[in-house]
Amino acid sequence: MIHSVRGPVLEIGLDHAVVEVGGVGLAVHATPATLGGLRRGEEARLATTLVVREESLTLFGFADTDERELFLLLQTVSGIGPRLALATIAVLEPDTLRRALADGDLAVLTRIPGVGKKSAERLVVELRDKVTAPEPAPAGAAATSAPTPVLGVREQVVEALLGLGFPQKPAEQAVDGVLAEQPDSNASVLLRTALATLGRSR
């Protein structure tokens, strides 16, 4: 397994970054928050895990090993694959997720795209004893946004939200709502704000 990658960031997309390792550019799929902490041309280190399928090899990257362990833990639950696990971490911070699982908070868990009441109940039953609810801690500084192309920003962000599992109409409404209030938002800021909006509306 590829445990981590370190090298200069060649590209930053809405759902992945390309990191050069030993002369090879590796596409690493990650959450908007993780991607927002990267800078094109600067060196980055990401904790990673390689998901092997018969038809593909997909590398997922995380800001730290804590996120990676939660990503792997989520996939031990029946019906939770890599895409849904990544969407979970994109919508809920690790401490929020652990607290929701430990407390059986279905309202928080159903904010995750593709997770209804039954799926949330299954997550609680299977993972409650495997996590520890964290102590309250002061919020860290928000990550600054990475520069992204200006053209087609709305379409890019809607497509990224669809890739995370949100239905098209709510995704478009969330993006349009953010653009109405912040018309100059770049794609990274727009995606994170739309995610927060969608999380609150579920």
Side-chain angles (χ1 to χ4, degrees):
M1 183 177 78
I2 301 176
H3 194 70
S4 66
V5 298
R6 184 176 67 183
V9 178
L10 302 181
E11 299 175 17
I12 302 174
L14 287 173
D15 62 353
H16 74 283
V18 177
V19 180
E20 184 176 10
V21 181
V24 177
L26 299 178
V28 185
H29 293 261
T31 65
T34 297
L35 294 170
L38 304 179
R39 291 291 176 274
R40 193 175 288 110
E42 294 184 6
E43 184 169 288
R45 184 185 186 281
L46 296 172
T48 59
T49 184
L50 181 66
V51 174
V52 180
R53 294 287 184 267
E54 184 176 343
E55 71 286 355
S56 66
L57 299 174
T58 307
L59 191 62
F60 291 89
F62 309 91
D64 52 44
T65 56
D66 186 33
E67 284 192 355
R68 181 181 62 198
E69 295 312 309
L70 278 174
F71 175 79
L72 295 172
L73 180 64
L74 286 164
Q75 291 177 77
T76 65
V77 178
S78 175
I80 306 293
R83 193 172 85 164
L84 185 52
L86 191 66
T88 300
I89 296 172
V91 173
L92 301 177
E93 294 181 354
D95 284 354
T96 303
L97 177 58
R98 285 196 179 91
R99 189 173 292 110
L101 291 170
D103 296 344
D105 192 338
L106 303 184
V108 170
L109 295 173
T110 52
R111 295 179 192 171
I112 304 163
V115 173
K117 185 179 179 182
K118 288 185 178 179
S119 297
E121 290 172 344
R122 187 165 63 247
L123 281 166
V124 170
V125 169
E126 296 193 28
L127 299 182
R128 170 179 269 165
D129 296 333
K130 298 180 181 179
V131 298
T132 303
E135 294 295 328
T144 55
S145 59
T148 51
V150 174
L151 295 178
V153 166
R154 179 186 183 277
E155 290 73 21
Q156 292 176 46
V157 173
V158 169
E159 184 177 345
L161 290 170
L162 295 179
L164 286 171
F166 289 99
Q168 182 160 352
K169 187 174 181 181
E172 291 177 341
Q173 290 173 339
V175 171
D176 290 341
V178 176
L179 284 173
E181 295 183 3
Q182 304 175 42
D184 296 328
S185 296
N186 64 27
S188 180
V189 171
L190 181 57
L191 179 56
R192 291 202 300 277
T193 309
L195 271 170
T197 300
L198 287 164
R200 288 194 301 268
S201 67
R202 288 182 64 86

